[in-house]
Amino acid sequence: MAGSARRAAGRRLQLPLLCLLLQGATAILFAVFVRYNHETDAALWRWGNHSNADNEFYFRYPSFQDVHVMVFVGFGFLMAFLQRYGFSSVGFTFLLAAFALQWSTLVQGFLHSMHRGHIHVGVESMINADFCAGAVLISFGAVLGKTGPAQLLLMALLETVLFGINEFVLLSLLGVKDAGGSMTIHTFGAYFGLVLSRVLYRPQLEKSKHLQGSVYHSDLFAMIGTIFLWIFWPSFNSAPTTLGDGQHRTALNTYYSLTASTLGTFALSALVGEHGRLDMPILEAKFKVQDTCGVHNLHGMPGVLGALLGVLVAGLATHEAYGEGLDSVFPLVAAGQRTTTSQAMHQLFGLFVTLTFASVGGGLGGLLLRLPFLGSPPDPQCYEDQVYWEVPGEHEDEAQGPLRAEEPDTRA
Protein backbone atom coordinates (compact mmCIF):
# COMPACT_ATOMS: atom_id res chain seq x y z
CA MET A 1 0.00 0.00 0.00
CA ALA A 2 2.83 2.40 0.88
CA GLY A 3 4.54 1.68 -2.45
CA SER A 4 1.32 2.36 -4.36
CA ALA A 5 0.86 5.65 -2.52
CA ARG A 6 4.41 6.73 -3.35
CA ARG A 7 3.91 5.87 -7.03
CA ALA A 8 0.65 7.84 -7.09
CA ALA A 9 2.37 10.83 -5.47
CA GLY A 10 5.20 10.58 -8.00
CA ARG A 11 2.73 10.55 -10.90
CA ARG A 12 0.99 13.60 -9.40
CA LEU A 13 4.22 15.62 -9.47
CA GLN A 14 6.02 14.29 -12.54
CA LEU A 15 3.75 15.65 -15.24
CA PRO A 16 3.15 19.18 -13.88
CA LEU A 17 6.82 19.68 -13.04
CA LEU A 18 7.98 18.44 -16.45
CA CYS A 19 5.37 20.50 -18.31
CA LEU A 20 6.29 23.67 -16.43
CA LEU A 21 10.02 23.05 -16.87
CA LEU A 22 9.77 22.41 -20.61
CA GLN A 23 7.35 25.29 -21.23
CA GLY A 24 9.43 27.70 -19.17
CA ALA A 25 12.64 26.77 -20.99
CA THR A 26 10.91 26.99 -24.37
CA ALA A 27 9.42 30.41 -23.57
CA ILE A 28 12.84 31.78 -22.61
CA LEU A 29 14.43 30.41 -25.78
CA PHE A 30 11.67 31.94 -27.89
CA ALA A 31 12.14 35.32 -26.22
CA VAL A 32 15.88 35.25 -26.89
CA PHE A 33 16.08 33.73 -30.37
CA VAL A 34 12.76 33.87 -32.24
CA ARG A 35 11.71 36.79 -34.46
CA TYR A 36 9.16 37.36 -37.25
CA ASN A 37 10.39 36.71 -40.77
CA HIS A 38 10.17 39.29 -43.56
CA GLU A 39 6.73 38.00 -44.60
CA THR A 40 5.37 38.62 -41.09
CA ASP A 41 7.25 41.62 -39.68
CA ALA A 42 5.28 44.83 -40.34
CA ALA A 43 8.35 47.00 -40.80
CA LEU A 44 10.13 44.63 -43.18
CA TRP A 45 7.05 43.85 -45.26
CA ARG A 46 6.06 47.50 -45.74
CA TRP A 47 9.64 48.44 -46.51
CA GLY A 48 9.57 46.11 -49.50
CA ASN A 49 6.54 48.02 -50.87
CA HIS A 50 4.49 44.81 -51.27
CA SER A 51 0.72 44.63 -51.48
CA ASN A 52 -1.08 42.52 -48.90
CA ALA A 53 -2.10 40.04 -51.59
CA ASP A 54 1.55 39.18 -52.18
CA ASN A 55 2.04 37.85 -48.67
CA GLU A 56 2.91 34.16 -48.42
CA PHE A 57 0.19 33.80 -45.78
CA TYR A 58 -2.48 33.60 -48.47
CA PHE A 59 -0.63 30.88 -50.39
CA ARG A 60 0.55 28.72 -47.49
CA TYR A 61 -2.01 29.10 -44.70
CA PRO A 62 -4.73 26.88 -46.26
CA SER A 63 -2.18 24.05 -46.46
CA PHE A 64 -1.13 24.74 -42.88
CA GLN A 65 -4.75 24.49 -41.71
CA ASP A 66 -5.15 21.11 -43.39
CA VAL A 67 -1.91 19.73 -41.91
CA HIS A 68 -2.88 21.08 -38.49
CA VAL A 69 -6.21 19.24 -38.62
CA MET A 70 -4.38 16.05 -39.56
CA VAL A 71 -2.02 16.34 -36.59
CA PHE A 72 -4.60 17.06 -33.89
CA VAL A 73 -7.79 15.42 -35.18
CA GLY A 74 -6.56 12.82 -37.67
CA PHE A 75 -3.77 11.30 -35.58
CA GLY A 76 -5.68 11.74 -32.32
CA PHE A 77 -8.80 9.86 -33.38
CA LEU A 78 -6.89 7.35 -35.49
CA MET A 79 -5.40 6.05 -32.23
CA ALA A 80 -8.70 6.02 -30.36
CA PHE A 81 -9.45 2.43 -31.37
CA LEU A 82 -8.50 0.95 -27.96
CA GLN A 83 -11.70 0.37 -26.03
CA ARG A 84 -10.67 2.12 -22.79
CA TYR A 85 -7.90 4.45 -23.99
CA GLY A 86 -9.79 7.14 -25.89
CA PHE A 87 -9.05 10.01 -23.48
CA SER A 88 -5.35 9.15 -23.52
CA SER A 89 -5.15 8.68 -27.29
CA VAL A 90 -6.65 12.07 -28.07
CA GLY A 91 -5.39 13.88 -24.96
CA PHE A 92 -1.77 12.74 -25.15
CA THR A 93 -1.77 13.52 -28.89
CA PHE A 94 -2.82 17.06 -27.91
CA LEU A 95 -0.06 17.28 -25.28
CA LEU A 96 2.75 15.87 -27.44
CA ALA A 97 1.88 17.94 -30.50
CA ALA A 98 1.60 21.17 -28.50
CA PHE A 99 5.09 20.65 -27.09
CA ALA A 100 6.64 19.33 -30.30
CA LEU A 101 5.41 22.34 -32.31
CA GLN A 102 7.31 24.73 -30.05
CA TRP A 103 10.43 22.63 -29.55
CA SER A 104 10.75 21.75 -33.23
CA THR A 105 10.46 25.43 -34.20
CA LEU A 106 13.59 26.04 -32.13
CA VAL A 107 15.49 22.94 -33.29
CA GLN A 108 14.67 23.42 -36.97
CA GLY A 109 15.36 27.12 -36.64
CA PHE A 110 18.82 26.60 -35.20
CA LEU A 111 19.62 24.21 -38.05
CA HIS A 112 17.86 25.82 -41.01
CA SER A 113 16.79 29.43 -40.54
CA MET A 114 19.20 31.36 -38.35
CA HIS A 115 19.71 34.96 -39.52
CA ARG A 116 22.10 37.16 -37.57
CA GLY A 117 21.61 35.10 -34.44
CA HIS A 118 17.81 34.88 -34.66
CA ILE A 119 15.31 32.26 -35.84
CA HIS A 120 12.83 33.75 -38.32
CA VAL A 121 9.34 32.26 -38.20
CA GLY A 122 6.30 32.46 -40.46
CA VAL A 123 3.70 30.19 -42.03
CA GLU A 124 6.31 27.89 -43.56
CA SER A 125 7.99 27.32 -40.18
CA MET A 126 4.57 26.47 -38.73
CA ILE A 127 4.08 23.83 -41.42
CA ASN A 128 7.55 22.38 -40.81
CA ALA A 129 6.88 22.20 -37.07
CA ASP A 130 3.66 20.30 -37.76
CA PHE A 131 5.61 17.80 -39.86
CA CYS A 132 7.94 17.13 -36.93
CA ALA A 133 4.93 16.73 -34.63
CA GLY A 134 3.56 14.21 -37.13
CA ALA A 135 6.73 12.11 -36.86
CA VAL A 136 6.51 12.20 -33.05
CA LEU A 137 2.89 11.06 -33.16
CA ILE A 138 3.78 8.21 -35.51
CA SER A 139 6.26 7.01 -32.87
CA PHE A 140 3.61 7.48 -30.18
CA GLY A 141 1.44 4.99 -32.04
CA ALA A 142 4.05 2.25 -31.55
CA VAL A 143 4.06 2.67 -27.74
CA LEU A 144 0.40 3.60 -27.37
CA GLY A 145 -1.02 2.49 -24.03
CA LYS A 146 2.29 1.36 -22.51
CA THR A 147 3.85 4.68 -21.54
CA GLY A 148 2.92 7.56 -19.27
CA PRO A 149 2.69 11.24 -20.27
CA ALA A 150 6.03 12.15 -18.63
CA GLN A 151 7.76 9.40 -20.61
CA LEU A 152 6.08 10.60 -23.81
CA LEU A 153 7.23 14.18 -23.29
CA LEU A 154 10.82 13.01 -22.87
CA MET A 155 10.43 10.89 -26.00
CA ALA A 156 9.26 13.98 -27.89
CA LEU A 157 12.15 16.03 -26.47
CA LEU A 158 14.74 13.57 -27.82
CA GLU A 159 13.00 12.66 -31.04
CA THR A 160 12.47 16.27 -32.11
CA VAL A 161 16.20 16.94 -31.88
CA LEU A 162 17.06 13.82 -33.90
CA PHE A 163 14.32 14.60 -36.42
CA GLY A 164 15.82 18.04 -37.01
CA ILE A 165 19.36 16.68 -37.37
CA ASN A 166 18.27 13.91 -39.75
CA GLU A 167 16.29 16.39 -41.84
CA PHE A 168 19.26 18.77 -41.97
CA VAL A 169 21.65 16.00 -43.06
CA LEU A 170 19.32 14.75 -45.80
CA LEU A 171 17.99 18.00 -47.22
CA SER A 172 20.89 20.40 -46.67
CA LEU A 173 24.04 18.27 -46.67
CA LEU A 174 23.12 15.39 -49.00
CA GLY A 175 20.77 17.35 -51.27
CA VAL A 176 18.12 14.61 -51.05
CA LYS A 177 14.61 15.30 -52.35
CA ASP A 178 12.04 13.79 -49.99
CA ALA A 179 8.59 14.17 -51.50
CA GLY A 180 5.86 13.87 -48.89
CA GLY A 181 8.38 13.25 -46.11
CA SER A 182 8.76 9.56 -46.99
CA MET A 183 12.11 9.38 -45.18
CA THR A 184 12.17 12.34 -42.82
CA ILE A 185 8.65 11.88 -41.42
CA HIS A 186 7.22 8.41 -42.07
CA THR A 187 10.31 6.20 -42.09
CA PHE A 188 12.02 8.09 -39.28
CA GLY A 189 8.91 8.28 -37.06
CA ALA A 190 7.96 4.64 -37.61
CA TYR A 191 11.32 3.03 -36.94
CA PHE A 192 12.18 5.35 -34.07
CA GLY A 193 8.93 4.21 -32.45
CA LEU A 194 9.39 0.54 -33.31
CA VAL A 195 12.93 0.35 -31.89
CA LEU A 196 11.71 2.27 -28.84
CA SER A 197 8.89 -0.23 -28.42
CA ARG A 198 11.33 -3.13 -28.74
CA VAL A 199 13.54 -1.73 -25.96
CA LEU A 200 10.44 -1.24 -23.81
CA TYR A 201 9.14 -4.75 -24.55
CA ARG A 202 7.11 -6.09 -21.63
CA PRO A 203 6.43 -9.83 -21.69
CA GLN A 204 3.80 -9.57 -18.96
CA LEU A 205 1.46 -7.43 -21.05
CA GLU A 206 -0.72 -10.51 -21.47
CA LYS A 207 -2.31 -9.29 -18.25
CA SER A 208 -3.74 -6.37 -20.25
CA LYS A 209 -4.63 -8.41 -23.33
CA HIS A 210 -8.32 -7.94 -22.70
CA LEU A 211 -7.89 -4.16 -23.07
CA GLN A 212 -5.93 -4.23 -26.35
CA GLY A 213 -8.98 -4.91 -28.48
CA SER A 214 -11.54 -2.49 -29.82
CA VAL A 215 -15.30 -2.15 -29.56
CA TYR A 216 -17.79 -0.74 -32.01
CA HIS A 217 -17.67 2.90 -30.90
CA SER A 218 -13.86 3.00 -30.49
CA ASP A 219 -13.38 1.65 -34.02
CA LEU A 220 -15.82 4.27 -35.26
CA PHE A 221 -13.67 7.03 -33.73
CA ALA A 222 -10.61 5.51 -35.42
CA MET A 223 -12.46 5.55 -38.74
CA ILE A 224 -13.18 9.26 -38.25
CA GLY A 225 -9.45 9.88 -37.74
CA THR A 226 -8.68 7.81 -40.83
CA ILE A 227 -11.08 9.82 -42.98
CA PHE A 228 -9.62 13.12 -41.77
CA LEU A 229 -6.12 11.96 -42.67
CA TRP A 230 -7.31 10.61 -46.02
CA ILE A 231 -9.03 13.87 -46.99
CA PHE A 232 -6.15 16.17 -46.11
CA TRP A 233 -3.23 14.03 -47.30
CA PRO A 234 -2.82 15.95 -50.59
CA SER A 235 -2.21 19.09 -48.51
CA PHE A 236 0.27 17.27 -46.28
CA ASN A 237 2.35 16.10 -49.23
CA SER A 238 2.18 19.34 -51.21
CA ALA A 239 2.50 21.89 -48.37
CA PRO A 240 6.33 22.12 -48.41
CA THR A 241 6.61 21.90 -52.20
CA THR A 242 7.67 24.88 -54.28
CA LEU A 243 4.63 27.02 -55.13
CA GLY A 244 3.27 26.49 -58.62
CA ASP A 245 3.34 23.41 -60.82
CA GLY A 246 5.26 21.27 -58.29
CA GLN A 247 2.68 21.83 -55.57
CA HIS A 248 -0.16 21.32 -58.03
CA ARG A 249 1.34 18.08 -59.35
CA THR A 250 2.00 16.73 -55.85
CA ALA A 251 -1.58 17.31 -54.73
CA LEU A 252 -2.94 15.73 -57.91
CA ASN A 253 -0.74 12.63 -57.68
CA THR A 254 -1.61 12.13 -54.01
CA TYR A 255 -5.31 12.57 -54.73
CA TYR A 256 -5.42 9.74 -57.26
CA SER A 257 -3.00 7.54 -55.33
CA LEU A 258 -5.30 7.67 -52.31
CA THR A 259 -8.30 6.52 -54.29
CA ALA A 260 -6.39 3.66 -55.90
CA SER A 261 -4.87 2.50 -52.60
CA THR A 262 -8.30 2.48 -50.97
CA LEU A 263 -9.69 0.06 -53.52
CA GLY A 264 -6.55 -2.05 -53.23
CA THR A 265 -6.89 -2.21 -49.45
CA PHE A 266 -10.49 -3.35 -49.61
CA ALA A 267 -9.61 -5.99 -52.19
CA LEU A 268 -6.69 -7.42 -50.22
CA SER A 269 -8.66 -7.39 -46.98
CA ALA A 270 -11.38 -9.48 -48.54
CA LEU A 271 -8.88 -11.86 -50.14
CA VAL A 272 -6.40 -12.64 -47.36
CA GLY A 273 -8.05 -11.66 -44.07
CA GLU A 274 -10.06 -14.04 -41.97
CA HIS A 275 -13.71 -13.10 -42.45
CA GLY A 276 -12.48 -10.22 -44.62
CA ARG A 277 -10.51 -8.57 -41.79
CA LEU A 278 -6.89 -7.43 -41.69
CA ASP A 279 -4.80 -9.06 -38.96
CA MET A 280 -1.04 -8.37 -38.40
CA PRO A 281 0.19 -10.10 -35.23
CA ILE A 282 3.48 -11.24 -36.73
CA LEU A 283 5.70 -8.44 -35.39
CA GLU A 284 5.00 -9.18 -31.74
CA ALA A 285 5.09 -12.94 -32.26
CA LYS A 286 8.41 -13.05 -34.12
CA PHE A 287 10.35 -9.92 -33.23
CA LYS A 288 9.07 -8.96 -29.75
CA VAL A 289 7.84 -5.60 -31.05
CA GLN A 290 4.56 -4.50 -29.47
CA ASP A 291 3.36 -2.17 -32.23
CA THR A 292 0.02 -1.03 -30.80
CA CYS A 293 -1.11 1.15 -33.70
CA GLY A 294 0.52 -0.81 -36.54
CA VAL A 295 2.88 2.01 -37.50
CA HIS A 296 5.14 -0.45 -39.35
CA ASN A 297 2.36 -1.19 -41.81
CA LEU A 298 0.90 2.32 -41.92
CA HIS A 299 4.10 4.41 -42.05
CA GLY A 300 7.24 2.27 -41.97
CA MET A 301 6.84 0.11 -45.06
CA PRO A 302 5.16 2.86 -47.14
CA GLY A 303 7.93 5.27 -46.11
CA VAL A 304 10.66 2.88 -47.24
CA LEU A 305 8.76 2.14 -50.46
CA GLY A 306 8.40 5.87 -51.15
CA ALA A 307 12.12 6.37 -50.55
CA LEU A 308 13.02 3.55 -52.95
CA LEU A 309 10.71 4.96 -55.59
CA GLY A 310 12.48 8.28 -55.06
CA VAL A 311 15.73 6.53 -55.92
CA LEU A 312 14.16 5.21 -59.13
CA VAL A 313 12.66 8.58 -60.11
CA ALA A 314 15.97 10.37 -59.49
CA GLY A 315 17.76 7.87 -61.70
CA LEU A 316 15.28 8.50 -64.51
CA ALA A 317 15.12 12.30 -64.21
CA THR A 318 15.95 14.01 -67.49
CA HIS A 319 15.55 17.42 -69.08
CA GLU A 320 13.22 15.78 -71.58
CA ALA A 321 10.88 14.65 -68.80
CA TYR A 322 10.88 17.84 -66.70
CA GLY A 323 12.00 20.55 -69.07
CA GLU A 324 12.93 23.75 -67.27
CA GLY A 325 11.09 22.38 -64.25
CA LEU A 326 14.02 20.05 -63.52
CA ASP A 327 15.63 22.96 -61.66
CA SER A 328 12.89 22.88 -59.00
CA VAL A 329 12.71 19.08 -58.77
CA PHE A 330 16.39 18.09 -58.84
CA PRO A 331 18.34 21.37 -58.86
CA LEU A 332 21.79 19.77 -58.56
CA VAL A 333 21.11 17.60 -61.61
CA ALA A 334 19.79 20.58 -63.54
CA ALA A 335 22.90 22.59 -62.65
CA GLY A 336 25.17 19.79 -63.86
CA GLN A 337 26.68 19.26 -60.40
CA ARG A 338 25.38 15.68 -60.26
CA THR A 339 24.43 12.99 -62.70
CA THR A 340 21.10 11.26 -62.34
CA THR A 341 22.92 8.15 -61.09
CA SER A 342 24.73 10.18 -58.45
CA GLN A 343 21.45 11.75 -57.30
CA ALA A 344 19.87 8.31 -57.07
CA MET A 345 22.77 7.06 -54.92
CA HIS A 346 22.40 10.08 -52.63
CA GLN A 347 18.70 9.29 -52.31
CA LEU A 348 19.51 5.70 -51.31
CA PHE A 349 22.14 6.82 -48.83
CA GLY A 350 19.58 9.21 -47.33
CA LEU A 351 17.34 6.23 -46.54
CA PHE A 352 20.25 4.47 -44.81
CA VAL A 353 21.00 7.62 -42.77
CA THR A 354 17.35 7.93 -41.73
CA LEU A 355 17.12 4.30 -40.61
CA THR A 356 20.37 4.74 -38.65
CA PHE A 357 19.20 7.89 -36.87
CA ALA A 358 15.81 6.31 -36.15
CA SER A 359 17.23 3.03 -34.83
CA VAL A 360 19.96 4.54 -32.66
CA GLY A 361 17.64 7.28 -31.44
CA GLY A 362 14.86 4.83 -30.65
CA GLY A 363 17.28 2.66 -28.71
CA LEU A 364 18.55 5.60 -26.67
CA GLY A 365 14.99 6.77 -26.12
CA GLY A 366 13.97 3.34 -24.89
CA LEU A 367 16.80 3.28 -22.37
CA LEU A 368 15.79 6.76 -21.17
CA LEU A 369 12.14 5.82 -20.78
CA ARG A 370 13.04 2.68 -18.83
CA LEU A 371 14.41 4.73 -15.94
CA PRO A 372 12.39 3.51 -12.94
CA PHE A 373 11.49 6.92 -11.52
CA LEU A 374 9.53 7.80 -14.66
CA GLY A 375 6.75 5.48 -13.54
CA SER A 376 5.31 3.73 -16.57
CA PRO A 377 1.85 2.21 -16.01
CA PRO A 378 1.85 -1.26 -14.38
CA ASP A 379 1.35 -4.18 -16.77
CA PRO A 380 -2.23 -4.92 -15.66
CA GLN A 381 -3.20 -1.25 -16.14
CA CYS A 382 -1.78 -0.61 -19.59
CA TYR A 383 -4.22 0.53 -22.30
CA GLU A 384 -6.40 2.01 -19.55
CA ASP A 385 -7.44 5.66 -19.17
CA GLN A 386 -8.13 5.43 -15.45
CA VAL A 387 -4.42 5.44 -14.56
CA TYR A 388 -4.05 9.05 -15.72
CA TRP A 389 -7.56 10.43 -16.26
CA GLU A 390 -10.67 11.10 -14.21
CA VAL A 391 -13.09 8.89 -16.14
CA PRO A 392 -16.88 9.17 -15.69
CA GLY A 393 -18.24 6.03 -14.02
CA GLU A 394 -14.83 4.71 -12.92
CA HIS A 395 -15.91 4.32 -9.30
CA GLU A 396 -18.83 2.14 -10.37
CA ASP A 397 -16.38 -0.03 -12.37
CA GLU A 398 -14.12 -0.38 -9.32
CA ALA A 399 -17.06 -1.44 -7.17
CA GLN A 400 -18.03 -4.12 -9.70
CA GLY A 401 -14.57 -5.71 -9.76
CA PRO A 402 -11.82 -6.02 -12.42
CA LEU A 403 -12.40 -4.44 -15.81
CA ARG A 404 -13.45 -6.77 -18.55
CA ALA A 405 -13.61 -6.35 -22.28
CA GLU A 406 -17.07 -5.87 -23.72
CA GLU A 407 -18.55 -9.06 -25.06
CA PRO A 408 -18.44 -9.26 -28.86
CA ASP A 409 -21.68 -9.24 -30.80
CA THR A 410 -22.18 -12.85 -31.90
CA ARG A 411 -25.47 -12.34 -33.68
CA ALA A 412 -25.67 -13.54 -37.28
Coordinates of all heavy atoms in Angstrom, one line a residue, residues 16 42 107 109 117 142 155 170 181 191 208 225 245 255 264 269 279 281 284 286 299-300 317 319 342 368:
P16 N 3.2 17.7 -14.0 CA 3.1 19.2 -13.9 C 4.5 19.8 -13.8 O 4.8 20.8 -14.5 CB 2.4 19.5 -12.6 CG 2.4 18.2 -11.9 CD 2.4 17.1 -12.9
A42 N 5.9 43.7 -39.7 CA 5.3 44.8 -40.3 C 6.3 45.8 -41.0 O 6.1 46.2 -42.1 CB 4.4 45.6 -39.3
V107 N 14.5 23.8 -32.7 CA 15.5 22.9 -33.3 C 15.7 23.2 -34.8 O 16.8 23.3 -35.3 CB 15.1 21.5 -33.0 CG1 16.1 20.5 -33.7 CG2 15.1 21.2 -31.5
G109 N 14.9 25.8 -36.4 CA 15.4 27.1 -36.6 C 16.9 27.2 -36.5 O 17.6 27.9 -37.3
G117 N 21.8 35.5 -35.8 CA 21.6 35.1 -34.4 C 20.2 34.9 -34.0 O 19.9 34.6 -32.9
A142 N 3.4 3.5 -31.8 CA 4.0 2.3 -31.5 C 4.1 1.9 -30.1 O 4.2 0.7 -29.7 CB 5.5 2.3 -32.1
M155 N 10.3 11.5 -24.7 CA 10.4 10.9 -26.0 C 10.4 12.0 -27.1 O 11.2 12.0 -28.0 CB 9.3 9.9 -26.3 CG 9.4 9.2 -27.7 SD 7.9 8.4 -28.1 CE 6.8 9.8 -28.6
L170 N 19.9 15.2 -44.5 CA 19.3 14.7 -45.8 C 19.1 15.9 -46.8 O 19.6 15.9 -47.9 CB 18.0 14.0 -45.6 CG 18.1 12.5 -45.5 CD1 18.9 12.0 -44.3 CD2 16.7 11.9 -45.4
G181 N 7.8 13.7 -47.4 CA 8.4 13.2 -46.1 C 8.5 11.7 -46.0 O 8.5 11.2 -44.8
Y191 N 10.3 3.9 -37.5 CA 11.3 3.0 -36.9 C 11.9 3.6 -35.6 O 12.4 2.8 -34.8 CB 12.4 2.8 -38.0 CG 11.8 1.9 -39.1 CD1 11.4 2.4 -40.3 CD2 11.5 0.6 -38.9 CE1 10.8 1.7 -41.3 CE2 10.9 -0.2 -39.8 CZ 10.5 0.3 -41.0 OH 9.9 -0.4 -42.0
S208 N -2.9 -7.4 -19.7 CA -3.7 -6.4 -20.2 C -4.3 -6.7 -21.6 O -4.8 -5.9 -22.3 CB -3.0 -5.1 -20.3 OG -2.5 -4.7 -19.1
G225 N -10.8 9.4 -37.6 CA -9.5 9.9 -37.7 C -8.9 9.5 -39.1 O -8.2 10.3 -39.7
D245 N 3.6 24.7 -60.2 CA 3.3 23.4 -60.8 C 3.7 22.2 -59.9 O 3.1 21.2 -59.9 CB 4.0 23.3 -62.2 CG 5.6 23.3 -62.1 OD1 6.1 24.3 -61.7 OD2 6.2 22.3 -62.4
Y255 N -3.9 12.7 -54.6 CA -5.3 12.6 -54.7 C -5.7 11.3 -55.4 O -6.5 10.5 -54.9 CB -5.8 13.8 -55.5 CG -7.3 13.8 -55.9 CD1 -8.3 14.2 -54.9 CD2 -7.7 13.5 -57.2 CE1 -9.6 14.2 -55.3 CE2 -9.0 13.5 -57.5 CZ -10.0 13.9 -56.6 OH -11.3 13.9 -56.9
G264 N -7.5 -0.9 -53.4 CA -6.5 -2.1 -53.2 C -6.6 -2.6 -51.8 O -6.6 -3.8 -51.6
S269 N -8.0 -7.0 -48.2 CA -8.7 -7.4 -47.0 C -9.6 -8.5 -47.2 O -9.7 -9.5 -46.4 CB -9.4 -6.2 -46.4 OG -10.1 -6.5 -45.2
D279 N -5.3 -8.6 -40.2 CA -4.8 -9.1 -39.0 C -3.3 -9.2 -39.1 O -2.8 -10.0 -39.9 CB -5.4 -10.4 -38.6 CG -4.9 -10.9 -37.2 OD1 -4.4 -10.1 -36.4 OD2 -4.9 -12.1 -37.0
P281 N -0.5 -9.8 -36.5 CA 0.2 -10.1 -35.2 C 1.6 -10.5 -35.3 O 2.3 -10.8 -34.3 CB -0.6 -11.3 -34.7 CG -0.9 -12.1 -35.9 CD -1.1 -11.0 -37.0
E284 N 4.9 -8.8 -33.1 CA 5.0 -9.2 -31.7 C 5.4 -10.6 -31.6 O 6.2 -11.0 -30.7 CB 3.7 -8.9 -31.0 CG 3.8 -9.2 -29.5 CD 2.6 -8.7 -28.7 OE1 1.7 -8.0 -29.3 OE2 2.5 -9.0 -27.5
K286 N 7.1 -12.7 -33.6 CA 8.4 -13.0 -34.1 C 9.5 -12.2 -33.6 O 10.7 -12.6 -33.4 CB 8.4 -13.1 -35.7 CG 7.4 -14.0 -36.3 CD 7.7 -15.5 -35.9 CE 6.7 -16.4 -36.6 NZ 6.9 -17.8 -36.2
H299 N 3.1 3.4 -41.7 CA 4.1 4.4 -42.1 C 5.5 3.8 -42.4 O 6.1 4.4 -43.3 CB 4.3 5.3 -40.8 CG 3.0 6.1 -40.5 ND1 2.6 7.2 -41.1 CD2 2.1 5.8 -39.5 CE1 1.5 7.7 -40.6 NE2 1.2 6.8 -39.6
G300 N 5.9 2.8 -41.7 CA 7.2 2.3 -42.0 C 7.5 1.7 -43.4 O 8.3 2.2 -44.1
A317 N 15.4 10.9 -64.0 CA 15.1 12.3 -64.2 C 15.9 12.8 -65.4 O 17.2 12.7 -65.4 CB 15.4 13.1 -62.9
H319 N 16.1 16.1 -68.6 CA 15.5 17.4 -69.1 C 14.3 17.2 -70.0 O 13.4 18.0 -70.0 CB 16.6 18.2 -69.8 CG 17.7 18.8 -68.9 ND1 17.4 20.0 -68.2 CD2 18.9 18.4 -68.6 CE1 18.5 20.3 -67.5 NE2 19.4 19.4 -67.7
S342 N 24.2 9.7 -59.7 CA 24.7 10.2 -58.4 C 23.6 10.6 -57.5 O 23.6 10.4 -56.3 CB 25.7 11.3 -58.7 OG 26.1 11.9 -57.5
L368 N 16.2 5.6 -22.0 CA 15.8 6.8 -21.2 C 14.4 6.5 -20.5 O 14.2 6.7 -19.3 CB 15.7 8.0 -22.0 CG 15.2 9.3 -21.4 CD1 16.1 9.8 -20.3 CD2 15.0 10.4 -22.4

